[in-house]
Amino acid sequence: LRLPSARAPAAMINNEGQNVDLYIPRKCSATNRLIHAKDRASVQINIGHVDVNGVYTGECTTFALSGFVRSLGDADASVDRLWAKQYNAAKDANQTI
């Protein structure tokens, strides 16, 4: 294993350049807070992309929600808001989702 240099962020990277850390923290998509390793109520949702015929294209958009957002009962509204933002950004860039 190659140890990171003094300027590189703290990460364990093998000789092939792959990240081999045991735990990579996630951020809540709704609040941008770090999701702690002990947050048992957090979820990660993958929303699949479909073409105009309704067939899955093999791509997906991932949202992570912390237990804090879910405990407030705001998870469904957050996913709706995040998906609308993602959809409008793709629409403005002339991409299909």
Side-chain angles (χ1 to χ4, degrees):
L1 291 175
R2 178 174 48 105
L3 295 176
S5 66
R7 287 186 247 156
M12 292 292 292
I13 300 173
N14 64 9
N15 292 335
E16 288 83 32
Q18 298 170 340
N19 190 355
V20 293
D21 281 335
L22 295 177
Y23 173 69
I24 300 172
R26 297 178 293 161
K27 286 180 81 173
C28 177
S29 299
T31 62
N32 280 339
R33 292 182 180 184
L34 279 179
I35 298 176
H36 300 282
K38 299 287 183 174
D39 188 355
R40 304 280 189 228
S42 64
V43 293
Q44 181 171 319
I45 300 171
N46 294 328
I47 300 175
H49 298 189
V50 296
D51 61 8
V52 294
N53 297 323
V55 178
Y56 177 61
T57 62
E59 299 176 354
C60 65
T61 300
T62 304
F63 297 120
L65 297 174
S66 65
F68 172 73
V69 172
R70 294 185 67 212
S71 69
L72 291 176
D74 196 32
D76 56 343
S78 296
V79 170
D80 287 341
R81 178 179 50 82
L82 289 167
W83 182 248
K85 182 178 177 182
Q86 182 82 18
Y87 179 77
N88 289 334
K91 194 175 179 182
D92 291 342
N94 291 329
Q95 296 176 347
T96 58
I97 292 185

